Amino acid sequence: MHRADRQGFVLVAVIGILSLIAALTGSALLALRSSVESVALADEEVALSGLAHAGMSLTAYRLLLEQKPAETLSGQSLPLPGGRFVASIRDEAGLVDLNGSKPELLASVYQASGASGMSPDTFVARLVAWRDEAKGQEEAGKGGSERGGKRPASGRPLRSLDEAASILGLTPRDVRALAHFVTVYNPDGKVNVLSASRAVLEALPGIARPTLEDILARRRNPAPGDVAALKSYLGALGDGIKTEPGPAYRVGITARGRTARAKSVSAVIASGNAELAPFHILEWSE
């Protein structure tokens, strides 16, 4: 092999080796960059999760312990170390309770919601049958506990609208329609007319249009004595309503850090023991 040929061969080999090294280096840098970005995203997710949980705790404290009105906390953008959060709050007493409300109210709400998978009478009949079974099982459980028995698992109060759908045979469309009207966290079954939506108020049996508009007007700009005045003349609607908030609130928290990303969580919270547990989380979703 001539000297020039050998030099050319070596040059080609060197170029090939350098190209391979460059390719490997590039792959390593890409992998490193990907790892760094993944770590950064993971860190940001942890930070956002912490902000969302802190926002939930702060909102629960102000709502349940300081007893701040829900309407003054809902919708505010509040600062936290490392970001901000916005809370949305719904008083569950402003909804009709599947376990506690009267059958006529439940029938009216089913019809008003636009649900159509069954007749309102069928819906109420199935629900009342389940509630009667729950009551019977509770009584049987008490007797059984005295004899060392166990309470049967069936026939208990409904724990969610999704569970009601399975038990009562509600369609997915019915579930979506009823979600804005019913709850399982208002045990006395009475609707708080000061926090109920217009749609829920319109579904109340026996409520007249002037009364509905008066309620909405008074609670938009409440004046001293308005609640007392409402109580005095709302008695005509029966004992299915009230003017006090319930024991539970559905709180949604949207937290934002230093970037455009956001983290949302939702929970149903209720008052607890102020010393041991300031509040209880009855339901949580992310």
Side-chain angles (χ1 to χ4, degrees):
M1 180 180 293
H2 296 291
R3 182 178 180 182
D5 293 336
R6 289 199 301 270
Q7 288 177 341
F9 176 78
V10 170
L11 180 60
V12 171
V14 170
I15 291 174
I17 292 171
L18 290 175
S19 298
L20 178 60
I21 293 173
L24 291 174
T25 302
S27 298
L29 289 174
L30 287 174
L32 178 60
R33 180 180 177 182
S34 178
S35 297
V36 170
E37 290 176 348
S38 297
V39 170
L41 287 173
D43 287 345
E44 186 179 7
E45 181 66 22
V46 170
L48 284 173
S49 183
L51 282 172
H53 283 72
M56 182 67 72
S57 296
L58 179 58
T59 301
Y61 178 84
R62 299 186 69 190
L63 184 65
L64 300 175
L65 275 74
E66 293 185 348
Q67 297 186 342
K68 300 287 187 182
E71 58 271 18
T72 65
L73 301 177
S74 190
Q76 289 188 7
S77 178
L78 298 175
L80 282 174
R84 307 183 69 84
F85 76 93
V86 176
S88 63
I89 304 171
R90 183 181 78 182
D91 176 17
E92 291 295 285
L95 302 174
V96 177
D97 193 84
L98 292 171
N99 296 306
S101 293
K102 292 186 175 182
E104 57 268 25
L105 177 54
L106 287 159
S108 180
V109 159
Y110 183 87
Q111 184 171 7
S113 73
S116 58
M118 62 187 75
S119 70
D121 289 342
T122 300
F123 168 71
V124 171
R126 293 180 182 180
L127 183 55
V128 169
W130 176 264
R131 292 187 346 184
D132 287 346
E133 182 182 356
K135 185 177 180 181
Q137 297 286 17
E138 183 178 3
E139 293 174 354
K142 289 179 180 178
S145 62
E146 293 175 357
R147 298 186 296 271
K150 295 183 179 179
R151 178 179 173 177
S154 63
R156 50 172 172 67
L158 295 168
R159 295 174 178 172
S160 68
L161 177 56
D162 287 338
E163 184 180 61
S166 174
I167 291 171
L168 306 180
L170 298 172
T171 67
R173 182 181 181 279
D174 284 354
V175 172
R176 291 192 297 271
L178 287 168
H180 304 290
F181 290 83
V182 302
T183 183
V184 294
Y185 299 111
N186 184 21
D188 68 7
K190 299 180 180 181
V191 176
N192 179 10
V193 295
L194 298 182
S195 63
S197 67
R198 184 187 189 100
V200 172
L201 290 175
E202 289 177 340
L204 296 177
I207 190 168
R209 177 68 61 177
T211 302
L212 170 64
E213 298 300 336
D214 189 33
I215 292 172
L216 295 173
R218 286 176 185 267
R219 73 185 196 183
R220 277 195 298 268
N221 300 292
D226 273 354
V227 173
L230 281 172
K231 286 182 178 180
S232 67
Y233 79 79
L234 287 179
L237 296 177
D239 59 356
I241 62 169
K242 58 186 176 184
T243 54
E244 299 81 24
Y249 294 86
R250 186 174 294 275
V251 179
I253 298 291
T254 299
R256 296 185 183 277
R258 295 183 176 88
T259 67
R261 295 186 67 222
K263 171 78 172 181
S264 296
V265 299
S266 176
V268 176
I269 61 174
S271 297
N273 184 299
E275 295 181 358
L276 300 178
F279 64 94
H280 298 301
I281 296 178
L282 307 178
E283 182 183 310
W284 182 274
S285 62
E286 299 191 17

